[in-house]
Amino acid sequence: MEPRINFITLGVADLERATRFYAEGLRLPRLKSPPSASFFEVGQIRLALYPRALLAADAGVLPAGSGFPGFALAHNVASAEAADRLLEEAAVAGGRIVRPARSTSWGGYAGYFADPDGFLWEVAWNPRLPAG
Amino acid sequence: MEPRINFITLGVADLERATRFYAEGLRLPRLKSPPSASFFEVGQIRLALYPRALLAADAGVLPAGSGFPGFALAHNVASAEAADRLLEEAAVAGGRIVRPARSTSWGGYAGYFADPDGFLWEVAWNPRLPAG
């Protein structure tokens, strides 16, 4: 496999709610999208929101599932203050801070929010890496 | 939030098995990694493998969860033949073809494989998009 991920698709319970969270709450740039999905340009990859049942059907798996989805996305920011600020923004937008940011064992500062469907985003400041 | 995803972290049941699948089976370029994780360079983002229980603990959520994880990653390829070939490679490497590739409603050709932990990858040829 070439080292490339073109899309990350999140299977959501309510497409309108999820779209509002990412487009208006977090202000990710939305791309032209068909009625059944919402695409966002996130650097070189696209974040897609798609109804969970349709995603399962497309993949040929059963849609039932619950609890920890087993993965997280991470977004680096330029400072500890920026991490706190983004977590607050996510909460205001309809997400939930599941772990407030704190200093980490690797010398950074990070916390997590969950989006309206419970998908986890780590918001991290890593002093050894550029945010981008 | 800036339009940026720095990491996708998959919480895996067996780090060695998952690392073998991605490093040897699919030949993704592995980065220097601590003993508890495996990092791969996948374009401008990093794919991280990390023990599922540790990922849940890091995020402050309960690790229990089952069934459809609710998301999929997508990898575009340059032809329908390349899609078939990659699905076969994933199966040989210890994954599972959950939906053989076929023509899609949007004019392309796509199928899905699951990695050893059940995480889904869509392998797609989109004649209107460059593979990269």
Side-chain angles (χ1 to χ4, degrees):
Chain A
M1 184 159 69
E2 297 290 315
R4 182 170 62 234
I5 292 174
N6 295 83
F7 281 88
I8 301 172
T9 301
L10 303 180
V12 300
D14 180 332
L15 181 63
E16 193 183 318
R17 178 184 67 176
T19 300
R20 204 163 48 232
F21 178 75
Y22 286 102
E24 297 170 23
L26 298 184
R27 297 186 302 282
L28 288 184
R30 191 171 175 197
L31 296 165
K32 190 160 169 278
S33 308
S36 62
S38 293
F39 297 131
F40 296 88
E41 190 164 20
V42 183
Q44 295 198 325
I45 67 173
R46 289 177 183 192
L47 179 69
L49 308 177
Y50 194 56
R52 178 184 171 95
L54 296 182
L55 179 59
D58 193 48
V61 301
L62 295 172
S66 62
F68 179 43
F71 80 107
L73 304 173
H75 178 81
N76 286 0
V77 292
S79 68
E81 293 71 30
D84 288 333
R85 203 158 51 230
L86 179 51
L87 289 169
E88 281 301 328
E89 280 177 20
V92 167
R96 192 165 52 88
I97 299 175
V98 293
R99 213 207 66 201
R102 61 180 184 224
S103 297
T104 68
S105 61
W106 42 268
Y109 183 84
Y112 284 82
F113 71 83
D115 81 0
D117 287 276
F119 294 118
L120 296 168
W121 286 79
E122 183 183 24
V123 177
W125 170 57
N126 183 336
R128 292 168 302 176
L129 284 184
Chain B
M1 182 159 71
E2 297 290 315
R4 181 169 63 234
I5 293 173
N6 295 82
F7 281 88
I8 300 171
T9 302
L10 302 180
V12 300
D14 180 331
L15 181 62
E16 191 182 319
R17 178 184 68 175
T19 301
R20 204 163 48 233
F21 177 75
Y22 285 101
E24 296 169 25
L26 297 184
R27 297 186 302 281
L28 287 184
R30 190 172 176 196
L31 295 165
K32 189 161 171 278
S33 309
S36 62
S38 294
F39 297 132
F40 297 88
E41 190 163 21
V42 183
Q44 295 198 323
I45 67 173
R46 290 177 184 192
L47 179 70
L49 307 176
Y50 194 55
R52 178 183 172 95
L54 296 182
L55 179 60
D58 193 48
V61 300
L62 295 172
S66 61
F68 178 44
F71 80 106
L73 303 174
H75 178 83
N76 286 359
V77 293
S79 67
E81 295 70 30
D84 287 334
R85 205 160 49 233
L86 179 51
L87 289 169
E88 281 302 327
E89 281 178 18
V92 167
R96 193 164 53 87
I97 299 174
V98 292
R99 212 206 69 200
R102 61 180 184 224
S103 297
T104 67
S105 60
W106 42 268
Y109 183 84
Y112 284 82
F113 72 82
D115 81 0
D117 287 276
F119 294 118
L120 296 168
W121 287 80
E122 183 183 24
V123 178
W125 171 58
N126 183 336
R128 293 169 300 176
L129 283 183

